[in-house]
Amino acid sequence: MEQETNRAELQGRVLTVPVFSHRSYGENFYRLLLGVARKSGFIDRIPVIVSERILWNREPEEGDVIDIEGQIRTYNEPAGERSRLNIVVFARELSACPAGTEPDDRNQITLEGFICKPPVDRLSPLGRELCDIMLAVNRAYNKSDYIPCIAWGRNARYSGGLPVGTKLRIQGRIQSREYRKKLEDGTAETRIAYEVSVLHLETC
């Protein structure tokens, strides 16, 4: 069996009920937010796109525990004169857990792709070594998803020296992070960024 190059496995609680997102090739797609807890207790708020074909008879309600299997997808959204990279989990399978189930907060991401920008080394506010990696992951119909990843410690030191074009296999988790964006008029707004936090990486 060929190894998947883009796989997401999640289990968590529904934070927002599905709302219409878009229509493509005659099929309706819906968007919901899934809450997946980290060991620290912080809740990552992960956007999920799901087709009408795999929603069960009743729509999931806030607080329901669901399993998602799918892929990370990215797309550019116009934002003024520039564009902003949006990141979602595209569900290929969705199942409801029995009422009363406590989520296991599964958050497993597996990616295989190519470094498409020079990795950026930096330090966290607490002085921990980090490295930002932009990974291009190919999919069908000559399309690619450009997925921001963040490596820590030893993985950061290793990946920081890798050239563009290096093929990597990454295992990690998708996480959300709030940040303040300064606008042209001098005001600031809170936005949410999504990235894959790397637990393990290797060159292919």
Side-chain angles (χ1 to χ4, degrees):
M1 178 179 174
E2 186 178 351
Q3 203 164 32
E4 288 189 84
T5 60
N6 186 339
R7 182 175 177 84
E9 299 176 72
L10 307 173
Q11 186 186 99
R13 289 193 184 277
V14 175
L15 299 179
T16 62
V17 297
V19 295
F20 179 77
S21 169
H22 63 281
R23 185 173 177 84
S24 179
Y25 297 102
E27 189 173 353
N28 291 331
F29 292 86
Y30 296 82
R31 180 186 179 102
L32 60 85
L33 279 181
L34 187 70
V36 183
R38 303 183 198 176
K39 290 181 180 178
S40 66
F42 180 85
I43 304 295
D44 286 305
R45 299 169 59 86
I46 301 170
V48 177
I49 297 293
V50 55
S51 162
E52 61 186 350
R53 291 184 299 105
I54 60 173
L55 282 174
W56 56 91
N57 290 333
R58 69 175 185 86
E59 290 188 357
E61 300 176 354
E62 286 186 33
D64 286 352
V65 177
I66 61 174
D67 280 307
I68 297 286
E69 291 188 16
Q71 296 180 327
I72 294 182
R73 297 283 176 86
T74 64
Y75 61 95
N76 285 312
E77 179 182 54
E81 295 181 357
R82 308 181 68 180
S83 62
R84 181 166 59 197
L85 184 70
N86 277 338
I87 301 170
V88 300
V89 171
F90 182 85
R92 294 187 300 184
E93 295 182 25
L94 183 153
S95 58
C97 298
T101 297
E102 285 298 319
D104 63 15
D105 295 307
R106 190 179 318 124
N107 187 340
Q108 298 172 351
I109 306 296
T110 302
L111 302 171
E112 190 174 294
F114 299 88
I115 297 175
C116 59
K117 292 173 64 176
V120 178
D121 293 306
R122 58 190 174 93
L123 293 177
S124 74
L126 298 177
R128 191 174 180 191
E129 292 176 281
L130 306 177
C131 184
D132 295 312
I133 306 165
M134 185 63 79
L135 200 70
V137 179
N138 296 330
R139 58 179 161 104
Y141 308 110
N142 294 318
K143 294 184 177 180
S144 296
D145 294 292
Y146 297 91
I147 303 172
C149 304
I150 182 168
W152 307 79
R154 182 176 60 184
N155 284 331
R157 290 192 295 274
Y158 174 70
S159 55
L162 296 175
V164 171
T166 301
K167 188 175 184 181
L168 289 181
R169 184 166 178 82
I170 283 176
Q171 294 176 322
R173 56 180 291 119
I174 185 171
Q175 62 184 26
S176 61
R177 171 175 53 84
E178 286 191 353
Y179 69 98
R180 298 283 288 172
K181 173 69 173 180
K182 190 172 182 179
L183 305 179
E184 291 182 358
D185 62 6
T187 62
E189 66 179 17
T190 299
R191 295 182 177 177
I192 299 179
Y194 298 94
E195 59 207 358
V196 172
S197 180
V198 177
L199 302 176
H200 176 76
L201 65 80
E202 60 186 11
T203 55
C204 301

